[in-house]
Amino acid sequence: MTRDDAAAWGPLSRRLLAAFVLVALSSVAVLTGAALWGTGQGLESAQAEARRQAAERVAAAVATAYGAAGGWDSVDLATATDLATGAGARLVVRTADGANVTGHGRGMPMNAMPGTGRVEVPVVVGGAVVGSVQLAFGSPATPVARNITWGWIGLAAGIALAVAGVTTWFVGRRIVVPLGRLTRAARRISAGDRTARAGVRAPGELGELAAAFDHMAAEVARAERARRDLTGDVAHELRTPLATLQAGLEELRDGMAQPDAERLTSLHDQAQRLGRIVQDLSELSAAEAAALSLRLRDVDLAEVAATAVEAHIAHLRAASLEVRTELATGVVVRADPDRLHQALGNLLANCARYARPGDVVTVRVHRSADTAFVDVHDTGPGIPAAELGHVFERRWRGRAGRAVAGTGIGLAVVRELVTAHGGTVTATSDGGGTLLTVSLPL
C-alpha cells in the first residue's frame, strides 16, 4: 500500500466513513419506518375492503337462500357457509330480532368464534332487512408483501453501506490525500527542506490552497536565498577594506608608519569605500523587498526619465559625456516613481563609470503595443558577448570593471527594482556601445 493509499484510509477518512455510514443507516431507518407504516396502512385498507366485499357476497347468498325457503325456518346456508370459509372466516346468521339462524350450514355463535376482525352486513330481501350476516376472520399470517418489503429494505441497507464505503474512498483520494501531501510538505519545510512542495493538482478551493502553499514555499526559499546572498555580499565586500583599515591602523599604533596626510588619506578612502559598500548593500536589500513596499500610481515615464537625467547630469558631464534625450510623452505606466528613478539613476551612474570621455549617452522613452520602454545607450567600449549574461548578477564586474571603483551591485539593484514592477531589463552590445533596456507593462 502506498503512502497516499494509507492516507486515504487514515483517521480523517475513518471519521468520514463513520459519518457517511451513520447518514446512510439513518436514511434507511427513516425510509424503513415510512415504508412499513405505509405498507401496513395499505394492507389494512385492502384487507378491510376485501372482507367487506366477502361479507356482501355472503349476505347476497343468504338473501337468495332466504327467498328460496320463504323464511328462516328451512333456509339452506350451505352456499353462504362455503363462501365464508373460502374467505377465511366463520359465518353467523341472525334474524332481524337478533336470534341465531339454525338452518343447514349455520356457524357457531359470534362470541365463541376466534378471530381478530368481524364484519357485519344486513341481509336485504325485497327491500326489507330480514337479518344480518356476521363474518369472523382469523389472525392472518405474515403477508407476503411485508416479507418482500423487508427484503428490499435489507438490500437498500447493503447498497447504502457500499455507497458509503465508495464515497469515503473517493473523498479520501480527492481531499484527504492532498491534505496529507500538504501536511508532509509543511513538515519538511519546517524541518529545513526549502525544496519541499505539495505538488497537488485538485479542483476548487483545495487546488487554490495547494497552489498558494507552493507559492508561499517558493517565496520562503527565495527570501532565505536572498538572505544568504546578502550575507555573502556583506562578507565579500567588507573583507578587503576592513583588512586594509586594520593593517593601516595597526601600523600607526605600533609606530611602523607616520600619521601623515598620505597615510590618513589612504585610510579615509578605505572608510569611504566601506560606506559605499554599505550603501549599495542597503539599496540591494531594499530593492529585493521592493515588491512589498511599492507605492504604485499612474506616472508618465518621460517625466521620471527626465528627472533622473537632471539629477545625474552633473555627474555625467564631469565624466566628459554628452547627454541626449528622446522622451516620448504620454507613455503612462503603473509604477512607483521613486523606485523607477532609482533604477534609471543606477543605469546612468553605470554609464558615467564605464563610458569613455567624449562618448554619448542617449536616454529614450518609447512604447510598442502594450509595453513601455526606457533605453539607456552609450557609445562606450561595450561589453563582450561572453559577459552579457552576467551583467545583472551580484558582485560581477567583468574584466573592464576590475579597473573601475565599484561593488558590482548597481545593475543587480536595477534588475530587482524592475522585476518588482513586473518588467524586465536586458543588456545588448554590438561592440560600439551598450544598450540597457527597461521594459514595463503599460
Side-chain angles (χ1 to χ4, degrees):
M1 178 181 293
T2 65
R3 180 179 292 182
D4 288 345
D5 293 332
W9 292 106
L12 179 57
S13 293
R14 290 195 291 271
R15 288 193 289 270
L16 287 174
L17 177 60
F20 290 147
V21 168
L22 178 62
V23 171
L25 292 182
S26 299
S27 300
V28 170
V30 172
L31 292 175
T32 297
L36 290 178
W37 182 83
T39 301
Q41 293 295 316
L43 289 176
E44 289 179 3
S45 178
Q47 186 180 60
E49 180 63 19
R51 289 177 176 180
R52 187 187 63 78
Q53 292 178 358
E56 289 178 351
R57 289 194 297 271
V58 172
V62 171
T64 302
Y66 179 91
W72 293 113
D73 292 337
S74 58
V75 67
D76 184 2
L77 300 178
T79 302
T81 301
D82 292 340
L83 290 173
T85 302
R90 301 300 299 275
L91 172 63
V92 172
V93 180
R94 292 180 177 176
T95 63
D97 55 6
N100 288 342
V101 178
T102 58
H104 177 70
R106 68 185 183 278
M108 65 177 62
M110 183 64 71
N111 55 10
M113 296 173 62
T116 57
R118 294 183 177 88
V119 179
E120 182 175 355
V121 177
V123 177
V124 181
V125 177
V129 177
V130 297
S132 63
V133 169
Q134 295 179 344
L135 296 183
F137 294 88
S139 300
T142 302
V144 176
R146 183 162 297 178
N147 292 337
I148 295 175
T149 300
W150 276 110
W152 280 106
I153 290 172
L155 178 62
I159 293 175
L161 292 177
V163 170
V166 172
T167 303
T168 301
W169 178 85
F170 178 78
V171 172
R173 298 293 299 182
R174 301 288 286 182
I175 296 180
V176 179
V177 170
L179 288 177
R181 292 180 181 176
L182 282 170
T183 302
R184 290 194 297 271
R187 288 173 177 169
R188 288 173 57 192
I189 290 176
S190 65
D193 183 5
R194 298 298 185 256
T195 63
R197 299 292 184 272
V200 173
R201 298 294 181 269
E205 290 82 355
L206 189 58
E208 294 178 3
L209 172 63
F213 177 87
D214 286 346
H215 179 72
M216 177 202 67
E219 288 300 311
V220 169
R222 188 189 67 80
E224 184 166 334
R225 190 163 53 249
R227 179 183 58 80
R228 289 197 303 267
D229 290 342
L230 181 60
T231 302
D233 292 340
V234 172
H236 176 83
E237 297 296 338
L238 297 184
R239 184 181 296 115
T240 299
L242 280 176
T244 302
L245 274 175
Q246 182 179 2
L249 290 174
E250 288 177 353
E251 288 180 346
L252 293 176
R253 183 195 62 187
D254 296 338
M256 299 177 63
Q258 295 298 321
D260 52 20
E262 182 179 358
R263 171 61 63 178
L264 294 177
T265 299
S266 175
L267 294 178
H268 181 261
D269 290 342
Q270 294 300 324
Q272 284 187 321
R273 184 182 178 191
L274 281 175
R276 288 195 303 270
I277 292 173
V278 171
Q279 179 64 27
D280 287 343
L281 292 175
S282 176
E283 289 182 359
L284 178 60
S285 177
E288 290 175 338
L292 301 178
S293 59
L294 292 179
R295 298 179 180 178
L296 300 177
R297 61 185 179 88
D298 292 339
V299 296
D300 191 325
L301 204 52
E303 295 180 2
V304 177
T307 303
V309 170
E310 183 180 356
H312 290 78
I313 191 66
H315 188 194
L316 293 169
R317 288 176 177 171
S320 300
L321 300 177
E322 180 183 350
V323 180
R324 299 175 183 174
T325 58
E326 300 175 9
L327 309 179
T329 59
V331 182
V332 179
V333 295
R334 186 76 175 172
D336 185 331
D338 294 333
R339 297 295 188 179
L340 285 186
H341 185 280
Q342 180 183 359
L344 296 180
N346 282 9
L347 294 180
L348 293 172
N350 192 71
C351 293
R353 184 176 295 116
Y354 293 102
R356 300 162 301 192
D359 286 336
V360 178
V361 176
T362 303
V363 179
R364 181 169 178 250
V365 173
H366 59 103
R367 61 179 294 172
S368 175
D370 57 352
T371 305
F373 300 96
V374 181
D375 298 333
V376 178
H377 180 263
D378 66 72
T379 59
I383 302 174
E387 298 180 357
L388 279 175
H390 303 283
V391 295
F392 297 105
E393 295 178 2
R394 293 180 178 86
R395 300 194 309 267
W396 188 91
R397 302 179 63 195
R399 289 182 299 173
R402 294 170 186 170
V404 180
T407 60
I409 293 178
L411 292 184
V413 171
V414 173
R415 183 184 62 179
E416 294 295 337
L417 291 173
V418 174
T419 302
H421 284 83
T424 58
V425 58
T426 58
T428 57
S429 180
D430 56 3
T434 302
L435 173 62
L436 298 171
T437 301
V438 175
S439 304
L440 296 171
L442 286 173

